[in-house]
Amino acid sequence: MSNSSPIQAIVFDWAGTIVDFGSFAPTSIFVEAFKQGFDFDITLAEAREPMGIGKWDHIKAVGQLPEVKVRWVAQFGKEMSDSDVDAIYAAFMPLQKAKVADHAEPILNAVEVVNSFKDKGIKIGSCSGYPREVMDALIPVAADYGYKPDYVVATDDLPQGGRPAPFMALKNVIELGVGCVGACVKVDDAAPGIEEGHNAGMWTVGLLLSGNEAGLTFDEYQSADHATLNAARERARTKLGKASPHYLIDTIADLPDVVADIEKRLAAGERP
């Protein structure tokens, strides 16, 4: 299909961006994995804190949170070690594989928005903080719902590692045959994914209400009053703003207007 847009590709995150409103699949499993591996309690908010990086690194980062570290030392007499992280990760993986398909439903309007970009000839890339064995469980279920990106990179596919480094985004560029990273857009609900886009030389879009930082279920989002939504928006804006995205929007439903603006800026000779 010929490309009727100056944008060559859009690279999407998965949980909290395209599927799993509120990014609940990984966060709830982190809580469960700490409990199962060590009978240690963490809160959902603590589980959310480092979201966007690979899951082994995420577990280690949770263990380094000051309040978690204090409780861990009090319970075990020492700080969390890499072997402790290995044990929690070993508990995490089967739980995540078993549950990820339950959270594969696309976020409202996601499939329609993505397909509208495909109709313009824009290539659809994707990458995730999930490892490949979890993605292999998620991809076919998302496809049954109608979400079929042109390429998928998992966080452990590349030896160089994951976010905030640019390698997953750039792997999409290579495999999709994109000629200019400045004609690409990275869309994510977490700061490391926005930083990944910057590091890859792309336009970046942060999602305020569908993802990890707002932490709302879809039902909560739909029933929330203006004050609740504004509070969630500001909570997410504070966290995502540190990564300086080019655009901040509520959900993927708002992305077509952003894409139209980027198209104008590219046509005028602007670069990210």
Side-chain angles (χ1 to χ4, degrees), residues 18 74 99 101 133 188 194 203 244 263:
I18 292 284
K99 293 287 178 72
E133 57 186 298
D188 209 296
I194 294 166
W203 299 91
S244 302
E263 287 172 337

PDB file of all heavy atoms in Angstrom, residues 18 74 99 101 133 188 194 203 244 263:
ATOM      1  N   ILE A  18      -2.379  -0.191  24.128  1.00  0.00           N
ATOM      2  CA  ILE A  18      -3.279  -0.811  23.148  1.00  0.00           C
ATOM      3  C   ILE A  18      -4.245  -1.776  23.823  1.00  0.00           C
ATOM      4  O   ILE A  18      -5.429  -1.831  23.485  1.00  0.00           O
ATOM      5  CB  ILE A  18      -2.461  -1.565  22.072  1.00  0.00           C
ATOM      6  CG1 ILE A  18      -1.685  -0.578  21.203  1.00  0.00           C
ATOM      7  CG2 ILE A  18      -3.372  -2.441  21.222  1.00  0.00           C
ATOM      8  CD1 ILE A  18      -2.502   0.157  20.171  1.00  0.00           C
ATOM      9  N   ALA A  74      13.750  -5.627  57.273  1.00  0.00           N
ATOM     10  CA  ALA A  74      13.124  -5.978  58.553  1.00  0.00           C
ATOM     11  C   ALA A  74      12.672  -7.429  58.566  1.00  0.00           C
ATOM     12  O   ALA A  74      12.769  -8.119  59.588  1.00  0.00           O
ATOM     13  CB  ALA A  74      11.931  -5.055  58.815  1.00  0.00           C
ATOM     14  N   LYS A  99      -2.127 -15.410  33.084  1.00  0.00           N
ATOM     15  CA  LYS A  99      -3.110 -14.334  33.246  1.00  0.00           C
ATOM     16  C   LYS A  99      -3.137 -13.323  32.096  1.00  0.00           C
ATOM     17  O   LYS A  99      -4.107 -12.580  31.949  1.00  0.00           O
ATOM     18  CB  LYS A  99      -2.817 -13.566  34.549  1.00  0.00           C
ATOM     19  CG  LYS A  99      -3.042 -14.369  35.829  1.00  0.00           C
ATOM     20  CD  LYS A  99      -4.527 -14.567  36.122  1.00  0.00           C
ATOM     21  CE  LYS A  99      -4.752 -15.401  37.369  1.00  0.00           C
ATOM     22  NZ  LYS A  99      -4.427 -14.704  38.602  1.00  0.00           N
ATOM     23  N   ALA A 101      -3.546 -13.362  28.934  1.00  0.00           N
ATOM     24  CA  ALA A 101      -4.625 -13.446  27.941  1.00  0.00           C
ATOM     25  C   ALA A 101      -5.936 -12.886  28.488  1.00  0.00           C
ATOM     26  O   ALA A 101      -6.781 -12.416  27.714  1.00  0.00           O
ATOM     27  CB  ALA A 101      -4.813 -14.892  27.490  1.00  0.00           C
ATOM     28  N   GLU A 133       8.157 -15.059  25.994  1.00  0.00           N
ATOM     29  CA  GLU A 133       7.227 -16.154  26.295  1.00  0.00           C
ATOM     30  C   GLU A 133       5.867 -15.628  26.750  1.00  0.00           C
ATOM     31  O   GLU A 133       4.848 -16.290  26.547  1.00  0.00           O
ATOM     32  CB  GLU A 133       7.814 -17.150  27.296  1.00  0.00           C
ATOM     33  CG  GLU A 133       8.259 -16.592  28.618  1.00  0.00           C
ATOM     34  CD  GLU A 133       8.965 -17.663  29.457  1.00  0.00           C
ATOM     35  OE1 GLU A 133       8.328 -18.676  29.795  1.00  0.00           O
ATOM     36  OE2 GLU A 133      10.149 -17.472  29.789  1.00  0.00           O
ATOM     37  N   ASP A 188       3.308   5.466  24.227  1.00  0.00           N
ATOM     38  CA  ASP A 188       3.523   4.667  25.437  1.00  0.00           C
ATOM     39  C   ASP A 188       2.816   5.296  26.630  1.00  0.00           C
ATOM     40  O   ASP A 188       2.547   6.499  26.631  1.00  0.00           O
ATOM     41  CB  ASP A 188       5.031   4.570  25.719  1.00  0.00           C
ATOM     42  CG  ASP A 188       5.435   3.296  26.437  1.00  0.00           C
ATOM     43  OD1 ASP A 188       5.000   3.101  27.598  1.00  0.00           O
ATOM     44  OD2 ASP A 188       6.191   2.503  25.858  1.00  0.00           O
ATOM     45  N   ILE A 194       8.610   6.360  26.747  1.00  0.00           N
ATOM     46  CA  ILE A 194       8.737   7.673  26.093  1.00  0.00           C
ATOM     47  C   ILE A 194      10.217   8.006  25.896  1.00  0.00           C
ATOM     48  O   ILE A 194      10.635   8.465  24.823  1.00  0.00           O
ATOM     49  CB  ILE A 194       8.023   8.753  26.920  1.00  0.00           C
ATOM     50  CG1 ILE A 194       6.513   8.493  26.932  1.00  0.00           C
ATOM     51  CG2 ILE A 194       8.322  10.149  26.364  1.00  0.00           C
ATOM     52  CD1 ILE A 194       5.753   9.287  27.967  1.00  0.00           C
ATOM     53  N   TRP A 203       9.234  10.977  17.269  1.00  0.00           N
ATOM     54  CA  TRP A 203       8.203  11.743  17.966  1.00  0.00           C
ATOM     55  C   TRP A 203       7.654  10.866  19.092  1.00  0.00           C
ATOM     56  O   TRP A 203       7.582   9.636  18.945  1.00  0.00           O
ATOM     57  CB  TRP A 203       7.072  12.111  17.013  1.00  0.00           C
ATOM     58  CG  TRP A 203       7.493  12.956  15.850  1.00  0.00           C
ATOM     59  CD1 TRP A 203       7.899  12.502  14.621  1.00  0.00           C
ATOM     60  CD2 TRP A 203       7.569  14.383  15.800  1.00  0.00           C
ATOM     61  NE1 TRP A 203       8.216  13.566  13.807  1.00  0.00           N
ATOM     62  CE2 TRP A 203       8.028  14.741  14.499  1.00  0.00           C
ATOM     63  CE3 TRP A 203       7.291  15.409  16.712  1.00  0.00           C
ATOM     64  CZ2 TRP A 203       8.210  16.056  14.092  1.00  0.00           C
ATOM     65  CZ3 TRP A 203       7.481  16.725  16.307  1.00  0.00           C
ATOM     66  CH2 TRP A 203       7.927  17.048  15.024  1.00  0.00           C
ATOM     67  N   SER A 244       9.426  14.240  29.127  1.00  0.00           N
ATOM     68  CA  SER A 244       9.244  15.284  28.108  1.00  0.00           C
ATOM     69  C   SER A 244       8.687  14.773  26.779  1.00  0.00           C
ATOM     70  O   SER A 244       9.282  14.979  25.727  1.00  0.00           O
ATOM     71  CB  SER A 244      10.575  16.006  27.843  1.00  0.00           C
ATOM     72  OG  SER A 244      11.078  16.573  29.021  1.00  0.00           O
ATOM     73  N   GLU A 263       1.985  15.129  11.090  1.00  0.00           N
ATOM     74  CA  GLU A 263       2.055  15.140   9.620  1.00  0.00           C
ATOM     75  C   GLU A 263       2.298  16.558   9.094  1.00  0.00           C
ATOM     76  O   GLU A 263       3.127  16.768   8.196  1.00  0.00           O
ATOM     77  CB  GLU A 263       0.767  14.566   9.029  1.00  0.00           C
ATOM     78  CG  GLU A 263       0.660  13.051   9.202  1.00  0.00           C
ATOM     79  CD  GLU A 263      -0.689  12.482   8.800  1.00  0.00           C
ATOM     80  OE1 GLU A 263      -1.689  13.237   8.795  1.00  0.00           O
ATOM     81  OE2 GLU A 263      -0.760  11.274   8.506  1.00  0.00           O
TER      82      GLU A 263
END
